[in-house]
């Protein structure tokens, strides 16, 4: 079979500009999650929220179920109508949802706001991730994916640092975290309007033939596509159960365990800042050049060691500091960075966003169910929680290493040809 060749017509400057604009979805996603975590303790005090209700917030927030549902719907729409139509307008929906959090005056408004925000963020993820992979140069797809991951880590750093100075003003101060995300979403709507549609998606639609039915769910669920979806769900899903706890509940746990007040900001912000450095100097420099399986394995081992420290020595300040240094370095070139990259590479263009959305949905919905148990488990028996999370990371690492693909340096067309010839 003749291998199709994609003609890249963009300049280097256009490549990076589009990557940043698409990748800002990651900033907004992570910013939403961590803004909620900063406000969580204040909301609990103001409204007398129970651990069960806090679990509901975590479960239905941008961190979990609502984002999963958004990805499931948005991913399919991306393959039918194009990436641009989805990623351009979902930010308006996001800003609307943010209004409920900005003006939250009752617990129901918190749940509603996170539900709407999560749907918008979820819809944007497969659109932006597909676009980044499809527009990136073949020998720099990992580097461009890394930019999006840096933006994901930047969101929490910006929110946590700003939150440190705003928290003395109480919940009225923290509202500004939500305001800045809403303003950014509106600005992003305008800036993205000048972006081009994915040429690879347009070529895929043209190849299918005018008036013909595009590949759908029956194609996505074929064994050759279902297998990599299940691989991604287990590899990333097990890791994300830890990451969900880390991103949404860490400030809450620091407060519950009576660590210094500054630690609520410095500890999680340091984790994400270290992660940004690791992404730039390790993932972006090496993912397109070296054995990706080996790179993933190193990160997986570091994750297990870092989490086991908390399980063995407890949630003390000294142990937490060592923990976040190890996890920050490992996170830069670990499961999340490779999930974004591999979830684009493992599927053909015609069903790429649908498959990504399905995998992302299963991961985030699973996290939502798990989030219901985290607050009460953390309050009653943190050691047990820490060992469970360590176990999740072991499963992620083993599965991820055994079935990790070797796609470094290959074009998406070459990967398609290899799949068809398998």
């Amino acid at each position: 079979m003749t291998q199709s060749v994609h003609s890249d017509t963009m300049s280097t400057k256009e490549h990076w500009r589009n990557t940043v604009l698409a990748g800002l979805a990651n900033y907004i996603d992570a910013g939403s999650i961590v803004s909620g975590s900063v406000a969580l303790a204040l909301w609990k005090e103001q409204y007398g929220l129970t651990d069960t209700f806090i679990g509901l917030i975590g479960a239905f927030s941008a961190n979990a179920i609502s984002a999963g549902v958004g990805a499931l719907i948005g991913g399919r729409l991306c393959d039918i109508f194009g990436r641009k139509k989805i990623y351009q307008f979902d930010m308006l929906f996001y800003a609307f949802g943010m209004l409920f959090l900005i003006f939250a005056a009752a617990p129901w408004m918190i749940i509603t706001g996170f539900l709407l925000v999560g749907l918008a963020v979820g819809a944007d993820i497969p659109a932006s991730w597909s676009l980044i992979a499809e527009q990136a140069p073949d020998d720099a797809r990992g580097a461009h994916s890394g930019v999006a991951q840096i933006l994901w880590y930047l969101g929490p750093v910006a929110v946590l640092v700003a939150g440190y100075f705003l928290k003395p003003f109480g919940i009225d101060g923290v509202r500004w975290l939500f305001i800045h995300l809403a303003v950014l979403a509106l600005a992003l709507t305008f800036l993205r309007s000048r972006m081009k549609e994915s040429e690879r998606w347009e070529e895929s639609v043209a190849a299918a033939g005018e008036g013909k039915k595009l590949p759908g769910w029956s194609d996505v669920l074929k064994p050759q596509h279902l297998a990599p979806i299940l691989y991604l769900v287990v590899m990333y899903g097990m890791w994300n159960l830890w990451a969900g706890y880390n991103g949404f509940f860490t400030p809450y746990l620091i407060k519950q365990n009576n660590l210094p007040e500054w630690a609520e900001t410095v500890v999680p912000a340091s984790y994400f800042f270290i992660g940004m450095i690791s992404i730039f100097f390790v993932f972006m420099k090496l993912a397109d050049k070296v054995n990706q399986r080996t790179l993933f394995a190193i990160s997986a081992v570091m994750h297990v060691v870092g989490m086991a420290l908390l399980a063995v020595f407890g949630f003390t300040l000294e142990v937490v500091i060592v923990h976040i240094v190890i996890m920050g370095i490992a996170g830069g070139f670990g499961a999340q960075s490779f999930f974004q990259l591999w979830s684009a590479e493992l599927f053909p263009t015609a069903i790429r966003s649908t498959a990504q959305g399905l995998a992302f949905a299963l991961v985030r919905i699973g996290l939502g169910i798990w989030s219901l148990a985290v607050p009460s488990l953390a309050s009653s028996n943190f050691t047990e929680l820490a060992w469970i999370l360590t176990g999740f990371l072991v499963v992620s690492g083993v599965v991820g290493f055994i079935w990790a693909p070797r796609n470094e340096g290959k074009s998406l067309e070459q990967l398609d040809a290899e799949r068809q010839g398998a």
Side-chain angles (χ1 to χ4, degrees):
M1 182 175 291
T2 303
Q3 179 181 323
S4 63
V5 178
H6 172 71
S7 178
D8 190 352
T9 60
M10 288 190 190
S11 66
T12 300
K13 183 179 179 180
E14 284 180 300
H15 277 303
W16 288 114
R17 177 183 178 277
N18 288 342
T19 293
V20 170
L21 290 178
L24 278 168
N26 285 21
Y27 177 97
I28 285 177
D29 179 18
S32 304
I33 295 168
V34 179
S35 293
S37 75
V38 171
L40 200 58
L42 296 173
W43 279 329
K44 180 180 182 180
E45 183 178 338
Q46 182 172 353
Y47 299 117
L49 304 181
T50 63
D51 285 341
T52 300
F53 194 87
I54 290 172
L56 283 172
I57 294 175
F60 288 95
S61 71
N63 197 34
I65 292 175
S66 61
V69 174
L72 193 64
I73 298 170
R76 185 69 201 124
L77 293 177
C78 282
D79 284 333
I80 296 173
F81 300 109
R83 286 56 167 129
K84 183 173 181 177
K85 284 186 175 65
I86 305 305
Y87 70 63
Q88 183 175 347
F89 296 109
D90 59 12
M91 288 295 98
L92 292 176
F93 190 77
Y94 175 94
F96 173 69
M98 266 295 162
L99 292 176
F100 286 86
L101 299 177
I102 293 169
F103 298 106
W108 72 266
M109 295 183 72
I110 299 172
I111 290 288
T112 302
F114 275 125
L115 186 65
L116 297 176
V117 163
L119 288 171
V121 165
D124 201 285
I125 290 297
S128 58
W129 286 7
S130 290
L131 190 78
I132 289 170
E134 289 165 5
Q135 293 190 347
D138 294 332
D139 59 353
R141 200 163 46 246
H144 280 257
S145 296
V147 170
Q149 289 302 312
I150 284 180
L151 290 168
W152 196 95
Y153 279 69
L154 178 61
V157 172
V159 166
L160 288 164
V161 171
Y164 179 77
F165 294 101
L166 292 171
K167 281 187 77 173
F169 300 98
I171 196 64
D172 288 332
V174 172
R175 291 184 206 276
W176 285 98
L177 299 178
F178 300 121
I179 290 172
H180 109 276
L181 291 169
V183 171
L184 178 58
L186 293 174
L188 200 53
T189 299
F190 170 74
L191 293 171
R192 284 178 167 183
S193 66
R194 295 185 292 168
M195 290 176 66
K196 298 177 182 178
E197 179 58 85
S198 165
E199 292 180 358
R200 280 188 163 105
W201 177 79
E202 291 177 330
E203 292 166 2
S204 174
V205 172
E210 187 176 349
K212 290 188 177 181
K213 184 180 179 182
L214 296 174
W217 284 109
S218 60
D219 298 278
V220 174
L221 299 177
K222 288 179 179 178
Q224 66 264 39
H225 298 138
L226 189 58
I229 288 173
L230 294 177
Y231 163 72
L232 291 168
V233 168
V234 175
M235 180 276 292
Y236 181 55
M238 289 291 105
W239 178 88
N240 203 56
L241 294 178
W242 167 81
Y245 134 85
N246 181 62
F248 200 80
F249 292 107
T250 293
Y252 174 74
L253 285 169
I254 288 172
K255 190 175 184 68
Q256 291 294 105
N257 285 276
N258 299 312
L259 269 59
E261 186 176 346
W262 57 263
E264 292 181 42
T265 299
V266 174
V267 167
S270 297
Y271 162 77
F272 290 111
F273 182 72
I274 293 168
M276 290 168 63
I277 296 173
S278 176
I279 293 168
F280 183 79
F281 286 104
V282 182
F283 187 78
M284 290 181 64
K285 303 295 184 184
L286 300 178
D288 295 301
K289 301 173 183 177
V290 305
N291 187 319
Q292 293 177 353
R293 182 181 287 118
T294 301
L295 204 59
F296 176 88
I298 294 170
S299 169
V301 171
M302 292 177 67
H303 270 104
V304 171
V305 171
M307 192 63 220
L309 287 176
L310 286 184
V312 173
F313 299 107
F315 203 90
T316 64
L317 182 60
E318 297 79 8
V319 177
V320 168
I321 290 173
V322 176
H323 163 79
I324 62 105
V325 171
I326 295 173
M327 302 303 262
I329 295 171
F333 56 99
Q336 175 151 301
S337 295
F338 279 114
F339 175 76
Q340 177 179 341
L341 182 62
W342 290 339
S343 65
E345 294 177 337
L346 290 174
F347 308 100
T349 300
I351 61 168
R352 179 170 291 120
S353 289
T354 305
Q356 277 188 325
L358 176 58
F360 191 81
L362 292 172
V363 167
R364 287 294 180 100
I365 291 171
L367 173 60
I369 296 170
W370 165 244
S371 295
L372 293 171
V374 171
S376 57
L377 189 56
S379 299
S380 62
N381 192 338
F382 176 77
T383 300
E384 181 180 350
L385 172 63
W387 278 120
I388 292 172
L389 292 169
T390 303
F392 289 156
L393 292 173
V394 170
V395 174
S396 170
V398 171
V399 172
F401 173 73
I402 292 175
W403 286 285
R406 293 291 310 277
N407 297 336
E408 57 270 12
K410 299 178 182 178
S411 71
L412 294 177
E413 288 70 32
Q414 182 180 351
L415 294 174
D416 282 344
E418 290 178 358
R419 276 189 294 271
Q420 293 171 12

